[in-house]
Amino acid sequence: QPERPGWLRAKTFHAPAIGAPVAVVGREEARQRLGLNAADEIILILSGAGGGGAPMAPLCLGARAFPGARWIAIGPVAPEWHATQPGNLELLGWTASPELWIGAADIVIAGAGNTAVHAILAVGRPFLVIPEWRYYDEQGRKAEALARAGAATMRQTWPGSPAAWAAALAQARA
């Protein structure tokens, strides 16, 4: 955060990575262990304990815009009264082995929490990062740094139309 006073930046240690150790599981092995079809396109939404969960309505919109893909959400999803879940959107809640789901995914959509970023970058999947609100804009700044480094595609908000979803996913794939 370049706007921080120099005296504060001077006493700051910038760690290269923070997050829980993660097991790296390849796509083929992860899909076998989870019983997933190797040919399916899997768009994974990863939501953690730091916020209220991924918002249901944008997930429904994205899944409807890409009916040939399996949209799988792990972690909490925030319900919304106007959201109706399509058949290709699966809400699994908390899972025992998130690293398998990350390894099995073709694209991962997540916030910029430390452990999530660490796990996604470890397997090298296309990453659409949508930062969650945090004090001092911690996730926003991390998402900006990931985008600058070419490690993720960043959006400030969840896509709100089929065209916005198509653009975001195309950019993540690229």
Side-chain angles (χ1 to χ4, degrees):
Q1 296 177 334
E3 73 278 3
R4 293 272 182 215
W7 66 267
L8 185 57
R9 287 196 320 263
K11 64 185 216 174
T12 302
F13 172 73
H14 296 277
I18 299 174
V22 294
V24 177
V25 182
R27 185 179 184 274
E28 186 176 311
E29 179 186 347
R31 287 187 180 212
Q32 285 176 353
R33 289 173 60 182
L34 292 167
L36 300 172
N37 186 326
D40 286 349
E41 180 181 21
I42 296 177
I43 299 172
L44 179 72
I45 300 88
L46 174 63
S47 183
M56 182 70 158
L59 299 184
C60 293
L61 184 61
R64 282 194 179 85
F66 291 87
R70 285 181 70 178
W71 288 61
I72 300 172
I74 62 173
V77 173
E80 296 180 279
W81 67 269
H82 51 85
T84 54
Q85 184 176 343
N88 65 327
L89 173 58
E90 304 165 45
L91 308 178
L92 303 184
W94 293 109
T95 63
S97 301
E99 71 280 359
L100 291 179
W101 292 99
I102 295 167
D106 292 301
I107 296 176
V108 180
I109 303 167
N114 291 331
T115 302
V117 168
H118 187 78
I120 296 163
L121 295 181
V123 298
R125 294 296 176 268
F127 180 15
L128 173 58
V129 61
I130 304 171
E132 295 183 33
W133 183 91
R134 293 291 183 275
Y135 288 101
Y136 307 107
D137 201 22
E138 172 260 323
Q139 284 207 11
R141 291 304 179 93
K142 191 183 316 170
E144 291 167 358
L146 289 166
R148 274 194 311 275
T153 295
M154 178 189 168
R155 282 192 50 99
Q156 290 288 350
T157 59
W158 288 85
S161 70
W165 271 112
L169 295 180
Q171 189 177 9
R173 284 184 186 102

